[in-house]
Amino acid sequence: VPGFIAAAVAVDKVRKAERDASLRGLRETVRATALLVDGEVQRSLGALTALGTSEHLKNGDLAAFYAQAKAIDRPPGVWTLLLDENGQLLINTAAPFGSPMPRAGAMPRVDQALTSGLPVVTDVFVGPATGKLLTTIYVPTRTADGQRFVVAQAFAVEHWKTKAIVPPAGSDWIVAVIDQQGNFISRSRNADAFLGQ
């Protein structure tokens, strides 16, 4: 009986140690994923803030502005947008300059960015121009003569899978990025079945 009790205690301690090690690994994976996502967001915010001060935007030279915007793209998963204060899409670097732009349906997000004066990061949605699942960061800007615009970057969900999902080697864990509504933006396993849900 004492030998059996000692063996049971030893097995319990081993299980606890394995569980603690797994939880530590999980915390490290979550922290690393969060840092990767935050790095992508901060990089985009910096680029969009700089783009919002463009002389080409101030002068109304949208062709030159398009070239600047195209330079901050990270193909194929990240492209740049320019919207006016009425939510009309003026530039989408995923399409050639001068292409007809659909009514973006982004007015609530544009209005939120312009009213608050702060960046807006969206949940996952289907982009009206591309038909792809994406997330977007909107940054408000104002030219010296008072015109208000929103510069934005769109991130295809495939971008997050390659840039932010790094499951531990040999692990059967599922690592995911989830929006504020609880929908999957990216996922390390069965992504096609769950993205946007």
Side-chain angles (χ1 to χ4, degrees), residues 36 99 108 110 114 120 122 165:
L36 289 169
S99 299
V110 168
L114 292 174
V120 173
T122 70
I165 301 296

Side-chain angles (χ1 to χ4, degrees), residues 6-7 24 31 47 56 62 69-70 72 82-83 92 94 99 106-107 121 128 132 141-142 150 159 174 180 190 195 197:
R24 272 194 307 278
R31 189 176 301 117
H56 301 304
L62 293 184
K70 191 87 173 158
I72 69 167
L82 175 68
L83 301 101
N92 180 345
S99 299
M107 192 56 209
V121 180
K132 293 181 177 183
T141 190
R142 183 186 296 261
V150 171
H159 175 78
I174 296 172
Q180 296 178 61
N190 301 325
L195 293 183
Q197 298 180 34

Side-chain angles (χ1 to χ4, degrees), residues 56-134:
H56 301 304
L57 183 60
K58 177 182 151 187
N59 298 331
D61 185 351
L62 293 184
F65 183 84
Y66 176 90
Q68 277 186 319
K70 191 87 173 158
I72 69 167
D73 286 356
R74 287 177 277 146
V78 182
W79 59 96
T80 308
L81 313 165
L82 175 68
L83 301 101
D84 68 16
E85 64 183 335
N86 299 312
Q88 177 58 50
L89 187 59
L90 303 173
I91 287 176
N92 180 345
T93 60
F97 180 74
S99 299
M101 293 290 124
R103 183 86 184 151
M107 192 56 209
R109 295 179 294 272
V110 168
D111 189 51
Q112 182 183 354
L114 292 174
T115 301
S116 69
L118 299 170
V120 173
V121 180
T122 70
D123 292 326
V124 67
F125 66 99
V126 177
T130 62
K132 293 181 177 183
L133 280 172
L134 52 92

Side-chain angles (χ1 to χ4, degrees), residues 178-194:
I178 300 170
D179 71 16
Q180 296 178 61
Q181 301 301 314
N183 298 314
F184 287 102
I185 295 172
S186 192
R187 190 180 148 105
S188 61
R189 290 183 180 213
N190 301 325
D192 294 338
F194 290 99

Side-chain angles (χ1 to χ4, degrees), residues 37 40 135 155-165 185-186:
V37 170
E40 289 291 309
T135 59
F155 295 79
V157 291
E158 292 82 10
H159 175 78
W160 295 113
K161 185 172 183 184
T162 60
K163 297 297 182 184
I165 301 296
I185 295 172
S186 192

Side-chain angles (χ1 to χ4, degrees), residues 19-35:
R19 180 178 179 275
D20 290 347
S22 290
L23 287 174
R24 272 194 307 278
L26 179 60
R27 276 191 217 90
E28 290 169 10
T29 299
V30 168
R31 189 176 301 117
T33 301
L35 287 171

